[in-house]
Amino acid sequence: AAGVIQSPRHLIKEKRETATLKCYPIPRHDTVYWYQQGPGQDPQFLISFYEKMQSDKGSIPDRFSAQQFSDYHSELNMSSLELGDSALYFCASSSATSGSYNEQFFGPGTRLTVL
Amino acid sequence: DQQVKQNSPSLSVQEGRISILNCDYTNSMFDYFLWYKKYPAEGPTFLISISSIKDKNEDGRFTVFLNKSAKHLSLHIVPSQPGDSAVYFCAASAQNSGGSNYKLTFGKGTLLTVNP
């Protein structure tokens, strides 16, 4: 079965650079979530989109922005990168219209390293 | 403020025995709970979930128990297998908060090691 796809899998950036992470949800899933997991930490919710509209916002810095496109894929844009942004970034998707809408399915993550 | 707590960072169990992973939560708005399994360098994999209207849900070797009054849930794996060795995250969401999306609040995870 198709899973959530994230690209790139690894990304190395310098401080103050920008980065764009991409997420392709499971087909027919209409909701996308972004999470950040720092070293030794639990995943922290950043932002979510339902039907291309932002639906909820968590502890996402103002330097970050995200959007969901007409094909339901999502991009997380990160600017003025800081050392503390080094983390695993997970995307998850779910279907608001299916019987298992509470269950989020995660991608493999993008490991961002800021030098 | 950690709203979902997994107080045991690690657990070691012998193959064939029962593994019990515990999770406590503080937010009474949480009404849906999930367990995820995570291997290094991979995303969390959904295992099993339970709604607050139930006190037990079973799927094969995995059973989740929910005690709402104690704000406590546990995941039982029986029999445990070496392939179950991974980090297990407890997560919660507030389904009835409205809207059509349910952000997850995670615990810090428990590393389960099943020894052959």
Side-chain angles (χ1 to χ4, degrees):
Chain A
V4 176
I5 297 172
Q6 289 187 247
S7 68
R9 292 294 309 277
H10 302 273
L11 190 57
I12 299 175
K13 290 286 185 179
E14 300 276 342
K15 278 196 311 183
R16 291 180 288 279
E17 285 191 321
T18 62
T20 297
L21 280 56
K22 297 184 179 182
C23 169
Y24 298 85
I26 291 171
R28 290 180 293 282
H29 278 196
D30 47 27
T31 308
V32 168
Y33 306 79
W34 286 96
Y35 293 86
Q36 177 193 57
Q37 184 180 21
Q41 300 297 313
D42 50 297
Q44 295 286 322
F45 171 74
L46 291 177
I47 196 167
S48 62
F49 292 87
Y50 167 66
E51 283 291 344
K52 293 152 278 184
M53 300 283 289
Q54 180 182 309
S55 50
D56 201 355
K57 197 171 180 180
S59 49
I60 182 170
D62 292 340
R63 300 177 288 107
F64 294 6
S65 65
Q67 56 181 324
Q68 185 179 32
F69 294 86
S70 58
D71 63 352
Y72 294 98
H73 94 272
S74 178
E75 295 183 4
L76 177 65
N77 298 294
M78 311 159 72
S79 62
S80 302
L81 287 169
E82 301 174 356
L83 295 178
D85 296 328
S86 296
L88 262 174
Y89 290 83
F90 290 109
C91 172
S93 73
S94 67
S95 169
T97 56
S98 77
S100 60
Y101 56 86
N102 279 295
E103 295 159 9
Q104 297 180 23
F105 296 87
F106 284 76
T110 293
R111 180 171 293 281
L112 172 67
T113 302
V114 181
L115 302 176
Chain B
D1 176 34
Q2 193 74 20
Q3 297 185 63
V4 177
K5 301 176 184 178
Q6 294 178 256
N7 292 320
S8 298
S10 62
L11 174 68
S12 186
V13 169
Q14 207 62 31
E15 181 179 5
R17 307 294 294 268
I18 185 171
S19 295
I20 300 176
L21 296 100
N22 293 304
C23 178
D24 298 290
Y25 61 96
T26 58
N27 189 340
S28 57
M29 297 295 292
F30 288 147
D31 52 17
Y32 199 83
F33 305 90
L34 308 91
W35 284 94
Y36 284 85
K37 175 180 178 181
K38 187 179 181 304
Y39 293 114
E42 293 184 13
T45 301
F46 171 74
L47 271 179
I48 192 168
S49 60
I50 188 166
S51 164
S52 59
I53 63 173
K54 296 184 176 181
D55 55 18
K56 178 183 174 181
N57 189 25
E58 190 172 355
D59 184 2
R61 297 186 297 115
F62 303 92
T63 303
V64 55
F65 296 91
L66 175 64
N67 182 333
K68 276 187 63 179
S69 60
K71 293 191 176 69
H72 175 84
L73 62 154
S74 61
L75 174 68
H76 292 211
I77 307 173
V78 56
S80 302
Q81 300 172 355
D84 295 329
S85 298
V87 176
Y88 288 77
F89 285 99
C90 172
S93 67
Q95 174 180 349
N96 290 323
S97 64
S100 57
N101 73 96
Y102 311 105
K103 65 183 179 186
L104 296 178
T105 300
F106 285 85
K108 291 198 176 295
T110 296
L111 174 62
L112 173 66
T113 302
V114 180
N115 300 303

